[in-house]
Amino acid sequence: MAVETQRLLTTSKAISEAIAQEMERDPRVFVMGEDIGVYGGIFGATEGLLAKFGPERVMDTPISETAFIGAAVGAAVSGMRPIAELMFVDFFGVCMDQIYNHMAKIHYESGGNVKVPVVITTAIGGGYGDAAQHSQTLYGMFAHLPGMKIVVPSTPYDAKGLMISAIRDDNPVIYMFHKGVMGLGWMTPNPRATGPVPEEPYTIPIGKADVKREGRDVTVVTLSLMVHRALDAAEDLAKEGIEAEVLDLRTVIPLDREAIVESVKKTHRLLVVDEDYRSFGLSGEVITTAIEGAFDHLDAPPARLAYPDVPIPYSRPLEQFCLPDRGKIAAAVRQLMS
Amino acid sequence: MPSDETLREMHHQMVRIRLFEETIQKIYFEGKTPAFDIAAGPVPGEMHLAAGQEPVAAGVCAHLRPTDAVTATHRPHHVALAHGMDMKKLAAEIFGKDTGLGHGKGGHMHLFDPATNFGCSGIIAEGMPTAVGHALAFKKQGRDDVAVSFFGEGAANQGAFHESLNLAALWTLPVVFVCEDNAWAISVPKEKATAIANNSDRAAAYGIPGVLVPDNDPVAIYEAAGEAVARARRGAGPSLIEIKTDRLLGHFEGDPQAYRTKEELALLKERDALRAFERRLIDAGSLTAADAEATWTRCRTEVDGAIEFARTSPYPEPAAALQHVFA
């Protein structure tokens, strides 16, 4: 997507700017979570908000996810538009009942009479040695449960537009940012985590994938940090004469099935790159979508590169062995082409 | 002491709740005899009735207005009715009809009523955090509405109970936590599940008032709730009330209750708070015997009308199951 601005922001700054602009526009919007005030969010998603809006609208909470995510649900039903941060998605276990039995189901159970406009922001992903309880992506698990939209941006531009859409949406939205796309000074430098972001507010529709790189030979469907890795791999492949199309899903729910099918019809080959666990998840869903919608167009069986079905190990060689990366993506594409 | 008018209204609420619950009980077994099949009849699924717990609903909800939020449990009918939920829409939802509160999508444990800001949850203690959230919204909006969270004594051992009390106390939110101690968490008696005798004592852990109402007395409940609701309305923060109440029926309909003795069940029937309250009002001259009789008749008519409405209402179109996942 061409962005006509020279202003560069990191993804974390793009997110906090989006929240700030929506808080200025709509007094019903407020933020709560652990360390989101004075600290600005462990991953910077709420940086500067406390100074701008004060502690009534930017509320540090106790370490009490069931209470404050449940409070977000109740506040939304009573007319507010809360944003609640679950520091790491891995912490869902201490509050999942509020998320999937309450937030996600109330609109349905009420026959459409009660809206629950909550945004839950949460950090996902590994690659930096944080081990089994602080490195998962888990969007596939949330996506399996009906009633929540799932947003997983990969660029600063998308992060801002999708955050504004998420806040304005009348449904619960899980907004998942990968730590590796945030552009944090204390993570391994990632040039793709900084990009052009217009200053004025704008929206990106939830449910629309985006072609991050056009190509004729193979479709790489991916999302979040793996978009960066796939773009790196595509550059390497281009030198060999293989033009990979990189389709960034951007949102998991609703899934842009049409974009997947259209791209596969064009390239006739599909690789799914997924940092989530391999089985019973996103990669299987994307491949099923391609088979259902473009079976006759496929020149090779669809392939996937995903996290093996093991808890995330700590030691660097172990974790790197499990994670998809630039080299593994390029190798998987080559195999698909051969 | 509540006025005679309030007492009569509380009596009226208790009668209509009792008749509603007894009627649902009878209907529940339609199609389920001689062999019990939980999926059969006009009302399938689990059915948790609140006969015996009417004093809690009547005494607390007497202080509420429709804009006050109420969250209840898997046993929600008494509270829903006392807070003003339309009985017809409630009955229709229980029957799974399109005219029900949730067009048949919720069922009796998942009732949501924007008209009375009512919601309930079938997950123990998990209605409590949402009540905290309603109260948070009221405070932010500058309203003097309050949120009331009803839960059973079994819920007080869940994390959500403690997290909710802490957050409501920390942020001085207008919440009234009402623990309905009916002594039984399905088949496990309270003394085998809870380390202390009275959950109201747990309020001290969060620096908020904890009040014990020891005897299912509607007037004592009314007075305790009045104080707690007033405190919340004036912005002084949450309270915890524990009421020793009676579950006259099984945990769910079809529960053989082998864990309870015949003597206990007989005792509960004998001390039925509704009958006792009615006698007391008549003895005190707050209610005439004729008025009491008229109340039962009026409520019978209301319940019959609601059931008739539910029975004759259409089912939703089957494919409507696919609607309302998202707004």
Side-chain angles (χ1 to χ4, degrees), chain B residues 22-37 40-43 47 49 252-255:
Chain B
E22 286 180 349
T23 307
I24 293 292
Q25 184 188 33
K26 200 181 292 173
I27 292 165
Y28 183 74
F29 286 98
E30 287 177 18
K32 293 189 179 71
T33 51
F36 183 81
D37 171 357
V43 180
M47 179 51 61
L49 298 174
F252 45 66
E253 290 313 297
D255 177 358

Side-chain angles (χ1 to χ4, degrees), chain A residues 30 32 55-80 94 97-98 101-102 104-115 146-149 169-172 253-254, chain B residues 67 69 93 100-107 110 112-114 117-118 120-123 125-141 143 159-160 163-164 166-167 170-171 320-327:
Chain A
F30 70 100
M32 59 180 164
E56 295 294 315
R57 295 184 71 193
V58 182
M59 308 175 79
D60 273 323
T61 64
I63 302 169
S64 195
E65 290 87 353
T66 286
F68 77 75
I69 288 178
V73 174
V77 172
S78 272
M80 302 300 287
V94 295
D97 190 72
Q98 285 302 320
N101 260 331
H102 294 84
K105 290 179 182 169
I106 287 175
H107 181 265
Y108 185 84
E109 290 170 327
S110 74
N113 290 320
V114 178
K115 293 186 175 64
M148 300 174 270
K149 295 188 176 179
D169 202 293
D170 279 339
N171 296 286
I253 303 289
Chain B
T67 47
E93 186 63 23
L101 278 173
H103 302 285
K105 289 202 168 87
H110 316 108
F112 295 92
D113 183 21
N117 209 349
F118 179 94
C120 58
S121 169
I123 310 294
E126 295 287 341
M128 303 181 73
T130 32
V132 173
H134 285 292
L136 177 62
F138 299 156
K139 190 174 180 181
K140 287 181 178 299
Q141 293 158 353
R143 294 157 59 175
E163 289 195 28
S164 298
N166 181 62
L167 199 61
L170 182 72
W171 288 348
L322 304 180
Q323 296 170 352
H324 298 137
V325 175
F326 291 111

Side-chain angles (χ1 to χ4, degrees), chain A residues 162 204-210 248-251 254-256 258-259:
Chain A
L162 285 166
I204 289 176
I206 295 175
K208 283 279 173 218
D210 184 44
D248 178 0
L249 291 172
R250 298 199 295 195
T251 66
L255 183 63
D256 191 348
E258 202 177 320

Side-chain angles (χ1 to χ4, degrees), chain B residues 17-18 21-22 49-54 75 246-249:
Chain B
I17 292 163
R18 176 64 58 88
E21 296 295 67
E22 286 180 349
L49 298 174
Q53 299 181 199
E54 298 91 347
R75 196 181 308 285
D246 289 333
R247 195 190 83 198
L248 296 184
L249 306 172

Side-chain angles (χ1 to χ4, degrees), chain B:
Chain B
M1 187 69 189
S3 67
D4 279 352
E5 192 190 339
T6 302
L7 289 168
R8 283 193 292 270
E9 177 53 22
M10 285 163 59
H11 171 259
H12 167 234
Q13 290 296 341
M14 289 169 64
V15 170
R16 67 196 282 269
I17 292 163
R18 176 64 58 88
L19 285 175
F20 185 81
E21 296 295 67
E22 286 180 349
T23 307
I24 293 292
Q25 184 188 33
K26 200 181 292 173
I27 292 165
Y28 183 74
F29 286 98
E30 287 177 18
K32 293 189 179 71
T33 51
F36 183 81
D37 171 357
I38 191 169
V43 180
E46 288 177 67
M47 179 51 61
H48 313 83
L49 298 174
Q53 299 181 199
E54 298 91 347
V56 179
V60 175
C61 295
H63 298 283
L64 303 184
R65 49 204 192 200
T67 47
D68 290 328
V70 168
T71 68
T73 70
H74 58 290
R75 196 181 308 285
H77 303 165
H78 57 321
V79 179
L81 289 169
H83 190 44
M85 182 183 286
D86 183 327
M87 190 188 279
K88 286 182 176 173
K89 288 186 178 175
L90 168 61
E93 186 63 23
I94 292 170
F95 276 70
K97 297 300 183 72
D98 195 37
T99 52
L101 278 173
H103 302 285
K105 289 202 168 87
H108 108 104
M109 286 188 276
H110 316 108
L111 306 164
F112 295 92
D113 183 21
T116 55
N117 209 349
F118 179 94
C120 58
S121 169
I123 310 294
I124 299 303
E126 295 287 341
M128 303 181 73
T130 32
V132 173
H134 285 292
L136 177 62
F138 299 156
K139 190 174 180 181
K140 287 181 178 299
Q141 293 158 353
R143 294 157 59 175
D144 68 347
D145 291 324
V146 303
V148 183
S149 170
F150 292 84
F151 54 95
E153 88 288 344
N157 297 322
Q158 285 276 32
F161 167 91
H162 297 277
E163 289 195 28
S164 298
L165 262 65
N166 181 62
L167 199 61
L170 182 72
W171 288 348
T172 324
L173 297 177
V175 191
V176 180
F177 296 102
V178 179
C179 178
E180 298 183 79
D181 179 357
N182 66 19
W184 289 97
I186 308 188
S187 65
V188 176
K190 183 176 167 201
E191 64 269 20
K192 286 194 177 166
T194 304
I196 57 171
N198 298 314
N199 281 310
S200 53
D201 292 345
R202 290 176 158 175
Y206 303 101
I208 63 173
V211 180
L212 175 67
V213 180
D215 54 6
N216 209 19
D217 170 12
V219 173
I221 295 166
Y222 176 88
E223 285 177 349
E227 220 166 287
V229 170
R231 179 181 147 84
R233 272 204 216 293
R234 67 171 184 269
S239 308
L240 171 63
I241 300 171
E242 181 188 27
I243 298 153
K244 306 286 189 192
T245 188
D246 289 333
R247 195 190 83 198
L248 296 184
L249 306 172
H251 166 66
F252 45 66
E253 290 313 297
D255 177 358
Q257 297 201 75
Y259 50 85
R260 277 171 143 180
T261 62
K262 280 198 182 82
E263 291 73 33
E264 180 185 339
L265 291 170
L267 174 72
L268 292 183
K269 208 169 172 188
E270 194 182 313
R271 74 178 184 205
D272 180 350
L274 170 53
R275 293 296 179 182
F277 185 51
E278 187 172 287
R279 275 197 305 275
R280 190 165 130 200
L281 294 192
I282 291 170
D283 290 349
S286 303
L287 182 73
T288 66
D291 281 346
E293 196 54 44
T295 299
W296 284 90
T297 306
R298 176 156 62 106
C299 292
R300 179 80 264 163
T301 305
E302 185 194 11
V303 170
D304 288 347
I307 298 298
E308 176 68 11
F309 174 78
R311 276 197 201 276
T312 56
S313 286
Y315 279 107
E317 287 297 320
L322 304 180
Q323 296 170 352
H324 298 137
V325 175
F326 291 111

